[in-house]
């Protein structure tokens, strides 16, 4: 070590008043973050690297944003196809360059809007699409040969992609000209988010069937978008997100090759999707590391086309980092995250709207989100030079550390015999849940500060000052129902039946391409639900086993004052009632985001509650039945997909029907403040605001229960 | 703090629940009343337990008319998934049957809360109109866990359930206890290699009436068939002692294969038992055994409650540990003191 290093160390020791000054902290990924990085921090083998050249650390293209800036691609969709179409056209006229479609949960899970299980979710967290007719309306007056369209669809990927292809054909655009991306990344659905339909093995076949079709018929279309985004949103740290995304991608490559494709036929059309959270430099390093990892890992398959091992990615700022308290702060957060995405070299970007922790984005909040990117592109000098942070001691070191870390996680998956096996064994899910519980403990213990939430709290909450978008779910439901009825009356039923029969045959016969038969069925105006049910009659619907972890939360919190207080109150509750407080934590409807529910379940069990976890995708009546049989004190509903206005009153009336109105109902998740009164009037006992720590939740629950008894 | 202490606390006021309404409710098959009565059984409070006891006593004439089926197997063998497939299979053959399921989940050893997720694995079964699923936290052995399970069974019978399935925790003593309180005891086994078979608990095998090799799908199918042969030999060798040689069946609850056969075989077994009157004898013995255990349990508790007035329990224990007092003599002293008190 040099003289300067030594004298820096001495000075730093004095300033920091500590002997050990080298390591500042351990990152969530357990990477030691040093106070200072110097030239020696770089690995000895470090050499000059160029963008557009292997291993592509500095970017997939030689000129990067100096040639063309990243694509501003905002994810949007809600209500009916008509409403979303209007919204898209407006956004495109104001500087947005590509479309990204959000579908509602019933569509994701392969149900038609009129299916009895899904009523409360229709048109809520995305647009409801039941058939080609809806798809045509969605893209009406949007020329599909010019517009790149990204579709977040995994479960019902067959009928949705097929509807899009048919809608384009009927617009006069052949599939050869279609450009865009279908997410088609089913593996992560089993780890987080849960918008799958079928079990893993047949789902993998669907993935490869689509890859086959797009490879041969849609050369400009990305056949898959391997997504880490949802992993980070579910609480995975950056290393887990990175490693599992790459591991998933490798699993798809292996499956595609096993199904007869050549690596260079499809790999150039694989794309990626990462989340960008608040760990600014870590996220920049993550994108750089991802490109290197992909390049290195793809060597296994001997690609001849360099494009096969170049990682291209879309990014989205983190929804998890957005807060319900002081929501304008979210504009700042999103800006910082967007910068990290740009400095990491993303190919396209979605910036979240500031009100997304509260409701679906409004017109105004969407504008600000879009303008954030325009400001970065037009007003700053960020895209005036390629990979501006290349060579930074810190960023380069972090990049290498992340690569190392990710490799060891990928190895754990390889040791299980690949990702499908690892998922069946429940490993990735467990790792992510652990990471998520630890993060919650850091936030509750104020080790991680979120301004306005767990520190520097503004007494006056300014949520009342702006409008949030409200979806009239009943109205969407009626409209969709009418459209489906009309469709069923006007179509050639015999033709549809024969198409569905063919789907059934091809589902059972691996040598056929399922997508081709689905395409015919959609052309004949079969519905998304009919096609999905037909396939489910062969593959079955998948029910995810729910595992739960314990004690991770407690280990990090047991010294915390509020934790101790919660334990104390719980003990006195047991003394007076003779039972542990028993809570059913449930999700209703088609919203499969269960990170919040899981974290709460673990945390409360660690405090001493008896926790029942309900299966996913329950109807209100089913939740009520479970609550009654288990004789719980309270049902806690976690709602993230805006279904609460319909589903909660239904739950309360279902409980009344069996004369169990003494079971309290509470709710947490994404609940706009203006819905509070509605919910309380409907009979909800208590509402957990986002950002409430788990011990606070526990105290809140015990208060309610003590009042009741 | 140990929660078992709470049973010492005396009630301030009786539960709000109406006693007669509860009895009527249970007899009419009301889910709510059955659920509340089970909670009373699980209570830490002495007064609750007394109410529960009276309730049960009044309901006794309406109990006994079910098949009680215990299902055991190590954690991860797929008990819940099996029960889901099994229950649905029964309802397919006999749609009017009412099925109740008791599952026992582990309590966190450190703080005592549990996560009870069994309904998740019995997703579609638990939705069924004729089905009642009740997961219970185990609370460890000292809570008299197995005795409570037995009494829960009785409550469910009074509420009209025809088939009661008890899923065990999968580890520890409770396995044996559940095995001793049911009409039929099913062991779920996963295909394994010879070495792993060696490690199987022999004691459990002796209680088993039916052995199911689960997860016989995909790669494990071959292994499963080999295992079947080995078990059949084991049972064959010990069959002389028993009138019933337990059948070994292959099943895959994931693929829903072989599960129907399990129900048919089980019915065969139960009919066989009824014919030989073993069924009735077993039940009589079980009821007596339950009485014996309750007596010991209550006696034990009484002794501990009185300990302050008597010769210190701890002091006696200390003497026994140090070999200063013969255990049987010590028990005699305690008992005599109790009679005097």
């Amino acid at each position: 070590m040099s003289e300067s290093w030594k004298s820096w160390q001495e000075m730093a020791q004095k300033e920091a008043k500590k002997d050990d000054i080298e390591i500042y902290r351990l990152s969530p990924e357990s990477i030691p973050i040093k106070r200072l990085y110097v030239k020696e921090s770089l690995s000895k083998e470090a050499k000059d690297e160029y963008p557009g050249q292997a291993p592509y650390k500095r970017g997939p293209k030689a000129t990067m944003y100096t040639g063309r800036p990243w694509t501003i691609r905002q994810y949007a969709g809600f209500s009916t196809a008509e409403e979303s179409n209007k919204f898209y056209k407006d956004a495109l006229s104001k500087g947005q360059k590509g479309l990204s479609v959000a579908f509602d949960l019933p569509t994701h899970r392969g149900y038609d809007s009129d299916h009895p299980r899904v009523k409360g979710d229709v048109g809520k967290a995305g647009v409801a699409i039941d058939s080609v007719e809806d798809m045509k309306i969605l893209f009406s007056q949007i020329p599909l040969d010019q517009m790149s369209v990204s579709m977040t669809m995994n479960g019902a990927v067959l009928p949705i992609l097929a509807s899009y292809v048919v809608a384009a054909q009927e617009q006069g655009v052949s599939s050869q000209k279609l450009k865009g991306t279908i997410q088609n990344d089913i593996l992560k659905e089993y780890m987080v988010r849960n918008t799958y339909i079928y079990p893993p093995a047949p789902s993998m076949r669907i993935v490869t069937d689509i890859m086959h079709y797009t490879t041969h018929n849609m050369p400009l279309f990305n056949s898959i978008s391997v997504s880490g985004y949802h992993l980070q949103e579910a609480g995975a740290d950056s290393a887990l997100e990175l490693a599992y995304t790459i591991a998933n991608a490798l699993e798809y490559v292996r499956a595609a090759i096993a199904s007869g494709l050549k690596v260079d036929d499809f790999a150039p059309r694989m794309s990626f999707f990462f989340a960008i959270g608040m760990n600014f430099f870590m996220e920049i390093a993550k994108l750089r590391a991802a490109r290197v990892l992909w390049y290195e890992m793809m060597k296994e398959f001997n690609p001849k086309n360099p494009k096969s091992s170049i990682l291209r990615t879309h990014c989205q700022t983190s929804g998890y980092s957005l807060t319900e308290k002081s929501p304008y702060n979210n504009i700042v957060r999103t800006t910082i995250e967007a910068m990290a995405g740009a400095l990491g070299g993303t190919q396209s970007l979605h910036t979240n709207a500031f009100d997304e922790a509260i409701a679906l984005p409004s017109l105004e909040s969407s504008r600000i989100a879009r303008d954030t990117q325009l400001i970065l592109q037009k007003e700053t000098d960020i895209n005036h030079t390629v990979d501006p942070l290349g060579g930074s001691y810190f960023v380069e070191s972090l990049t290498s550390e992340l690569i190392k870390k990710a490799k060891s996680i990928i190895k754990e998956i390889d040791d299980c015999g690949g990702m499908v096996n690892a998922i069946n064994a429940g490993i990735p899910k467990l790792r992510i849940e652990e990471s998520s519980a630890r993060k919650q403990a850091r936030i509750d213990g104020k080790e991680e500060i979120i301004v306005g939430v767990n520190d520097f709290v503004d007494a006056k909450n300014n949520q009342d000052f702006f409008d949030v978008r409200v979806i009239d779910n009943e109205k969407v439901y009626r409209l969709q129902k009418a459209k489906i009825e009309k469709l069923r009356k006007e179509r050639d039923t015999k033709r549809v039946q024969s198409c569905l029969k063919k789907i059934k045959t091809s589902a059972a016969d691996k040598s056929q391409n399922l997508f081709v038969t689905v395409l015919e069925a959609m052309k004949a105006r079969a519905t998304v639900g009919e096609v999905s049910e037909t396939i489910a009659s062969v593959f079955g619907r998948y029910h995810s086993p729910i595992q739960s972890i314990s004690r991770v939360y407690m280990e990090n919190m047991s010294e915390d004052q509020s934790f101790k207080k919660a334990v104390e109150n719980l003990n006195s509750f047991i003394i007076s009632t003779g039972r542990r407080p028993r809570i059913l934590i449930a999700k209703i409807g088609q919203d499969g985001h269960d990170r919040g529910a899981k974290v709460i379940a673990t945390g409360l069990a660690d405090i001493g509650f008896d926790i029942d976890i309900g299966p996913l995708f329950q109807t209100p009546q089913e939740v009520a039945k479970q609550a009654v049989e288990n004789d719980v004190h309270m049902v806690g509903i976690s709602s993230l997909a805006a279904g609460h206005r319909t589903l909660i009153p239904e739950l309360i009336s279902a409980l009344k029907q069996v004369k169990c109105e003494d079971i309290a109902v509470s709710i947490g998740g994404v609940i706009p403040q203006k819905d509070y009164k509605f919910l309380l009037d409907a009979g909800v006992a208590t509402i957990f605001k986002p950002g409430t720590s788990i011990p606070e939740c526990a105290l809140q629950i015990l208060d309610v229960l003590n009042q009741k008894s | 703090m140990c929660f078992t202490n709470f049973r010492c606390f005396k009630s301030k006021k009786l539960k709000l629940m109406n006693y007669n309404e509860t009895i009527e409710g249970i007899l009419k098959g009301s889910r709510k009343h059955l659920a509340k009565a089970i909670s009373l059984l699980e209570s830490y409070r002495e007064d609750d337990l007394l109410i529960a006891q009276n309730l049960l006593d009044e309901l006794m004439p309406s109990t006994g008319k079910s098949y009680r089926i215990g299902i055991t197997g190590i954690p991860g063998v797929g008990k819940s998934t099996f029960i889901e497939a099994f229950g649905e299979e029964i309802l397919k053959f006999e749609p009017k049957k009412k099925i109740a399921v008791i599952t026992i989940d582990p309590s966190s050893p450190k703080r005592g809360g549990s996560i009870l997720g069994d309904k998740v694995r019995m997703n579609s079964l638990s939705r069924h109109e004729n089905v009642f699923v009740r997961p219970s936290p185990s609370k460890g052995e000292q809570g008299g866990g197995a005795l409570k399970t037995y009494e829960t069974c009785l409550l469910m019978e009074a509420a009209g359930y025809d088939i009661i399935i008890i899923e065990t925790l999968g580890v520890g003593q409770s396995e044996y206890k559940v095995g001793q309180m049911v009409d039929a005891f099913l062991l779920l086994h996963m295909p394994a290699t010879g070495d792993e078979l060696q490690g199987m608990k022999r004691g459990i095998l002796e209680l088993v009436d039916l052995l199911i090799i689960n997860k016989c799908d995909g790669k494990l199918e071959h292994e499963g068939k080999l295992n079947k042969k080995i078990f059949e030999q084991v049972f064959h060798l010990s069959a002389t002692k028993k009138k019933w040689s337990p059948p070994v069946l292959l099943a895959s609850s994931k693929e829903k294969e072989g599960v129907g056969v399990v129900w048919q075989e089980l019915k065969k077994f139960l009919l066989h038992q009824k014919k030989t009157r073993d069924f009735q004898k077993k039940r009589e013995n079980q009821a007596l055994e339950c009485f014996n255990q309750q007596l010991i349990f209550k006696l034990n508790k009484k002794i501990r409650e009185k300990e302050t007035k008597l010769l210190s329990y701890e002091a006696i224990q200390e003497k026994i540990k140090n070999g200063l007092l013969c255990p049987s003599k010590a028990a005699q002293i305690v008992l005599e003191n109790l009679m005097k008190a």
Side-chain angles (χ1 to χ4, degrees):
Chain A
M1 279 286 147
S2 66
E3 274 306 304
S4 333
W5 171 260
K6 273 186 205 141
S7 62
W8 172 80
Q9 220 169 11
E10 276 162 27
M11 279 172 78
Q13 274 167 348
K14 252 184 239 158
E15 280 176 27
K17 300 191 178 65
K18 264 187 186 167
D19 284 341
D20 180 21
I21 45 101
E22 196 174 339
I23 307 296
Y24 178 73
R25 68 164 192 140
L26 214 57
S27 80
E29 297 76 16
S30 316
I31 294 174
I33 303 295
K34 298 180 195 168
R35 268 176 215 270
L36 181 69
Y37 289 81
V38 292
K39 202 171 171 189
E40 282 80 18
S41 314
L42 299 179
S43 94
K44 297 277 177 299
E45 302 93 77
K47 49 181 186 280
D48 258 356
E49 285 164 318
Y50 288 86
Q53 293 178 20
Y56 308 102
K57 191 202 278 173
R58 306 198 60 188
K61 293 218 161 181
T63 55
M64 288 302 286
Y65 306 145
T66 64
R68 196 177 58 153
W70 70 87
T71 307
I72 302 174
R73 188 196 297 278
Q74 297 294 87
Y75 179 56
F78 49 85
S79 177
T80 56
E82 288 84 351
E83 290 290 316
S84 292
N85 174 261
K86 229 191 288 168
F87 184 89
Y88 293 161
K89 284 190 292 196
D90 178 69
L92 291 170
S93 73
K94 288 173 180 154
Q96 186 172 316
K97 291 294 180 208
L99 286 181
S100 174
V101 184
F103 296 96
D104 73 352
L105 291 164
T107 308
H108 273 289
R109 302 255 306 135
Y111 292 112
D112 286 335
S113 300
D114 61 350
H115 193 284
R117 291 196 74 85
V118 302
K119 205 175 159 203
D121 288 308
V122 176
K124 278 286 188 181
V127 57
I129 299 290
D130 292 319
S131 72
V132 165
E133 293 304 325
D134 288 330
M135 200 60 104
K136 283 173 78 173
I137 296 167
L138 187 68
F139 294 116
S140 121
Q141 295 172 316
I142 297 172
L144 289 175
D145 50 345
Q146 290 158 46
M147 181 56 53
S148 111
V149 176
S150 159
M151 283 179 285
T152 298
M153 180 49 70
N154 306 282
V157 62
L158 290 166
I160 287 301
L161 184 64
S163 307
Y164 168 73
V165 171
V166 175
Q169 273 169 4
E170 295 182 10
Q171 229 187 49
V173 178
S174 84
S175 62
Q176 299 284 334
K177 287 190 189 144
L178 291 173
K179 46 185 185 173
T181 307
I182 183 89
Q183 195 163 72
N184 197 22
D185 170 17
I186 199 68
L187 289 173
K188 60 122 181 10
E189 299 293 338
Y190 301 105
M191 300 181 193
V192 298
R193 215 169 84 116
N194 301 309
T195 40
Y196 44 70
I197 305 177
Y198 318 109
S203 292
M204 281 301 281
R205 177 195 158 193
I206 293 176
V207 171
T208 50
D209 277 0
I210 285 180
M211 290 173 97
H212 270 268
Y213 186 86
T214 52
T215 299
H216 297 119
N217 303 286
M218 300 163 78
L220 304 177
F221 207 79
N222 296 325
S223 58
I224 195 163
S225 165
V226 193
S227 308
Y229 185 83
H230 315 86
L231 309 183
Q232 185 178 114
E233 287 290 284
D237 60 52
S238 297
L240 276 180
E241 180 197 357
L242 173 59
Y244 286 161
T245 308
I246 300 287
N248 283 348
L250 292 171
E251 191 83 7
Y252 294 125
V253 173
R254 288 186 197 117
I257 290 174
S259 77
L261 285 173
K262 290 205 186 72
V263 64
D264 287 324
D265 289 342
F266 65 90
R269 294 251 60 104
M270 288 179 79
S271 65
F272 288 79
F273 174 26
F274 288 103
I276 303 292
M278 285 302 282
N279 285 342
F280 187 73
F281 290 104
M282 189 64 78
E283 298 297 58
I284 295 170
K286 181 177 76 192
L287 296 186
R288 307 174 89 242
R291 288 190 291 266
V292 177
L293 271 171
W294 187 238
Y295 169 75
E296 289 184 3
M297 296 287 176
M298 284 301 281
K299 281 184 189 159
E300 177 190 333
F301 309 102
N302 292 316
K304 303 282 172 292
N305 184 349
K307 283 192 175 150
S308 294
S309 34
I310 297 179
L311 178 141
R312 295 167 303 126
T313 187
H314 173 68
C315 284
Q316 178 170 342
T317 58
S318 156
Y320 185 104
S321 68
L322 303 186
T323 64
E324 185 249 9
K325 290 179 190 161
S326 310
Y328 289 126
N329 287 353
N330 293 332
I331 301 176
V332 183
R333 295 191 178 99
T334 298
T335 308
I336 293 167
E337 291 166 348
M339 270 171 62
L343 293 170
T346 188
Q347 278 55 65
S348 61
L349 182 64
H350 166 104
T351 29
N352 284 328
F354 70 87
D355 51 357
E356 280 184 57
I358 298 151
L360 293 164
S362 67
L363 221 51
E364 179 66 3
S365 68
S366 307
R367 179 192 63 76
I368 296 174
R370 187 173 55 239
D371 285 358
T372 303
Q373 294 197 49
L374 287 169
I375 290 167
L376 289 178
Q377 288 189 351
K378 308 290 176 194
E379 294 186 23
T380 76
D381 53 1
I382 283 180
N383 53 14
H384 295 182
T385 194
V386 178
D387 187 28
L389 288 176
S392 145
Y393 304 137
F394 179 37
V395 172
E396 295 293 353
S397 304
L398 217 46
T399 308
S400 314
E401 288 288 332
L402 262 180
I403 292 173
K404 235 193 293 171
K405 197 105 217 163
K407 277 184 181 164
S408 76
I409 301 170
I410 294 173
K411 187 165 179 299
E412 184 187 50
I413 300 299
D414 284 344
D415 289 346
C416 294
M419 196 45 115
V420 171
N421 287 341
I423 286 173
N424 283 332
I427 292 169
K429 206 168 185 159
L430 227 52
R431 290 266 179 280
I432 292 168
E433 277 162 22
E434 262 171 37
S435 166
S436 162
R438 239 180 260 123
K439 187 176 173 80
Q440 187 65 44
R442 284 198 304 272
I443 293 168
D444 289 353
K446 290 196 183 184
E447 199 185 310
E448 246 176 58
I449 299 295
I450 299 172
V451 173
V453 176
N454 62 0
D455 209 348
F456 313 106
V457 181
D458 185 2
K460 162 174 112 320
N461 192 325
N462 47 6
Q463 202 189 311
D464 291 331
F465 299 136
F466 57 84
D467 285 333
V468 296
R469 184 186 295 276
V470 179
I471 305 289
D472 185 348
N473 167 246
E474 279 289 332
K475 193 175 150 205
V476 180
Y477 173 75
R478 276 200 315 276
L479 286 170
Q480 287 305 111
K481 202 171 160 211
K483 279 196 278 183
I484 294 179
E485 274 163 15
K486 185 165 173 277
L487 179 94
R488 290 204 175 116
K489 226 183 277 161
E490 288 173 1
R491 69 187 182 180
D492 177 350
T493 314
K494 264 195 193 144
R495 187 174 153 211
V496 173
Q497 290 309 327
S498 106
C499 284
L500 292 177
K501 221 184 243 167
K502 276 184 201 149
I503 290 179
K504 206 167 169 175
T505 325
S506 66
D509 176 5
K510 276 188 197 168
S511 69
Q512 294 188 38
N513 190 319
L514 248 177
F515 185 76
V516 177
T517 48
V518 171
L519 195 63
E520 284 310 309
M522 296 318 283
K523 224 181 265 176
R525 298 307 191 259
T527 65
V528 171
E530 288 162 347
V531 168
S532 304
E533 274 318 308
T534 306
I535 300 173
S537 71
V538 180
F539 292 165
R541 268 190 182 262
Y542 181 69
H543 299 290
S544 149
I546 290 200
Q547 297 161 305
S548 47
I549 46 169
S550 60
R551 299 219 291 283
V552 173
Y553 182 82
M554 188 171 73
E555 276 160 17
N556 289 285
M557 283 295 284
S558 49
E559 288 311 305
D560 183 87
Q561 280 313 313
S562 58
F563 186 87
K564 284 184 183 160
K565 174 97 173 91
V567 173
E568 221 169 83
N569 284 15
L570 181 119
N571 288 350
S572 42
F573 180 86
I574 300 177
I575 292 173
S576 70
T577 65
R579 286 182 80 197
R580 278 179 190 285
R582 187 163 177 172
I583 316 283
L584 168 62
I585 308 258
K587 306 230 19 138
I588 320 187
Q590 297 302 309
D591 163 22
H593 294 87
D594 58 355
R595 182 202 66 85
K598 291 289 197 58
V599 169
I600 281 280
T602 341
L604 290 180
D606 279 355
I607 287 171
F609 286 80
D610 276 340
I611 300 295
D612 290 281
I613 302 183
L616 289 171
F617 314 124
Q618 296 267 83
T619 65
Q621 291 71 24
E622 287 159 1
V623 173
K625 180 174 187 273
Q626 188 178 359
V628 172
E629 288 178 4
N630 296 6
D631 190 23
V632 299
H633 295 102
M634 178 186 273
V635 182
I637 298 294
S638 152
S639 168
L640 280 105
H644 55 269
R645 284 182 70 101
T646 317
L647 296 168
I648 294 293
E650 273 185 37
L651 170 66
I652 291 171
S653 87
L655 283 169
K656 268 198 192 126
Q657 224 161 43
V658 287
K659 302 210 170 57
C660 285
E661 46 279 271
D662 59 321
I663 297 176
V665 174
S666 64
I667 180 165
V670 179
I671 316 289
Q673 224 165 58
K674 60 195 276 184
D675 285 353
Y676 285 9
K677 193 173 173 312
F678 170 86
L679 291 168
L680 293 170
D681 287 348
V684 167
T686 185
I687 300 167
F688 304 111
K689 296 182 173 186
T692 313
S693 75
I694 290 173
E696 280 168 33
C697 283
L699 291 168
Q700 211 171 320
I701 293 170
L702 290 166
D703 275 350
V704 171
L705 300 189
N706 283 328
Q707 272 167 29
K708 285 223 163 200
S709 64
Chain B
M1 188 189 295
C2 172
F3 289 127
T4 40
N5 291 340
F6 293 142
R7 62 184 77 246
C8 310
F9 287 90
K10 290 280 174 263
S11 158
K12 288 184 203 104
K13 57 176 188 258
L14 278 179
K15 280 277 131 69
L16 295 168
M17 191 171 58
N18 186 321
Y19 185 79
N20 290 330
E21 186 199 308
T22 307
I23 297 224
E24 269 170 47
I26 292 177
L27 290 172
K28 276 191 203 139
S30 145
R31 266 175 225 288
K32 168 186 165 181
H33 293 104
L34 174 58
K36 298 250 178 228
I38 298 173
S39 299
L40 274 182
L41 275 180
E42 289 173 353
S43 178
Y44 292 106
R45 292 182 64 112
E46 192 70 22
D47 51 350
D48 286 346
L49 295 176
L50 285 176
I51 300 174
Q53 198 172 299
N54 289 336
L55 257 175
L56 257 176
D57 194 45
E58 273 191 57
L59 290 169
M60 275 317 277
S62 312
T63 63
K65 292 177 215 93
S66 79
Y67 287 130
R68 303 169 190 161
I69 301 164
I71 295 191
T72 186
I74 54 164
V77 72
K79 292 187 289 286
S80 304
T81 320
F82 174 79
I83 293 173
E84 159 124 325
F86 183 58
E88 292 199 314
E89 201 62 33
I90 296 176
L91 289 169
K92 209 158 76 188
F93 287 113
E94 290 157 77
K96 292 228 171 93
K97 287 267 184 264
K98 284 176 75 185
I99 302 178
V101 183
I102 307 170
T103 70
I104 302 164
D105 276 273
S107 299
S108 151
K110 239 181 172 168
R111 215 167 286 275
S114 310
I115 293 189
L116 307 113
D118 272 298
K119 286 205 187 174
V120 176
R121 290 181 286 270
M122 297 177 204
N123 195 347
S124 58
L125 185 67
S126 68
R127 280 178 193 162
H128 202 287
E129 210 24 59
N130 293 2
V131 176
F132 185 103
V133 183
R134 174 72 175 225
S136 290
S138 70
K139 291 186 192 169
E141 295 292 328
Q142 76 272 53
L147 288 172
K148 283 188 205 302
T149 309
Y150 183 80
E151 292 176 334
T152 306
C153 258
L154 297 177
L155 283 176
M156 288 170 160
E157 286 173 350
Y161 287 89
D162 308 295
I163 295 165
I164 297 167
I165 303 175
I166 305 167
E167 179 193 330
T168 70
L169 199 58
V171 282
Q173 277 298 313
S174 66
E175 304 308 286
Y176 296 88
K177 291 201 175 137
V178 171
Q180 286 159 345
M181 65 168 71
V182 291
D183 304 319
F185 198 43
L186 275 59
L187 171 67
L188 237 58
H189 174 75
M190 222 168 12
T193 58
D195 288 351
E196 288 166 64
L197 286 179
Q198 295 278 322
M200 277 216 43
K201 293 176 231 160
R202 289 284 149 174
I204 281 284
L205 278 185
E206 275 168 26
L207 291 173
V208 166
D209 301 306
L210 207 73
L211 193 143
I212 300 143
I213 302 179
N214 194 26
K215 298 197 176 173
C216 274
D217 37 53
K219 278 181 267 174
L220 294 175
E221 204 180 329
H222 178 67
E223 208 78 68
K225 283 180 181 159
L226 285 178
N227 283 189
K228 179 175 151 77
K229 290 218 172 74
I230 298 174
F231 278 119
E232 276 168 347
Q233 267 173 350
V234 171
F235 286 134
H236 182 70
L237 288 174
S238 54
T240 42
K241 277 183 275 171
K242 274 190 173 184
K243 293 174 201 152
W244 170 265
S245 170
V248 181
L249 305 171
L250 298 177
S252 158
S253 17
K254 208 173 87 196
E255 311 284 337
K256 299 204 163 54
E257 261 175 31
V259 182
V261 181
V262 174
W263 174 232
Q264 299 308 333
E265 284 292 322
L266 188 68
K267 271 211 303 203
K268 239 191 258 169
F269 168 71
L270 291 167
L271 286 176
H272 171 265
Q273 289 281 95
K274 284 215 156 165
K275 224 163 53 194
T276 57
R277 293 199 45 79
D278 281 355
F279 188 87
Q280 198 47 37
K281 261 186 266 165
K282 207 165 164 187
R283 281 233 168 150
E284 284 162 9
N285 287 337
Q286 285 169 357
L288 284 179
E289 178 58 25
C290 181
F291 160 70
N292 285 334
Q293 282 186 30
Q294 286 283 10
L295 198 61
I296 295 168
F297 188 68
K298 283 182 200 288
L299 208 58
N300 237 318
K301 214 163 65 186
K302 205 64 173 184
I303 293 169
R304 278 159 206 265
E305 273 169 26
K306 300 265 179 193
E307 71 175 274
T308 42
K309 290 183 208 154
L310 303 166
L311 172 58
S312 161
Y313 203 68
E314 262 176 44
I316 288 193
Q317 282 184 325
E318 207 48 45
K319 280 188 183 165
I320 295 172
K321 272 197 273 181
N322 294 326
L324 298 173
L325 195 59
C326 155
S328 67
K329 174 78 181 167
Q332 187 70 28
I333 294 174
V334 171
L335 199 65
E336 273 167 18
N337 274 327
L338 186 68
M339 308 280 262
K340 268 185 259 161

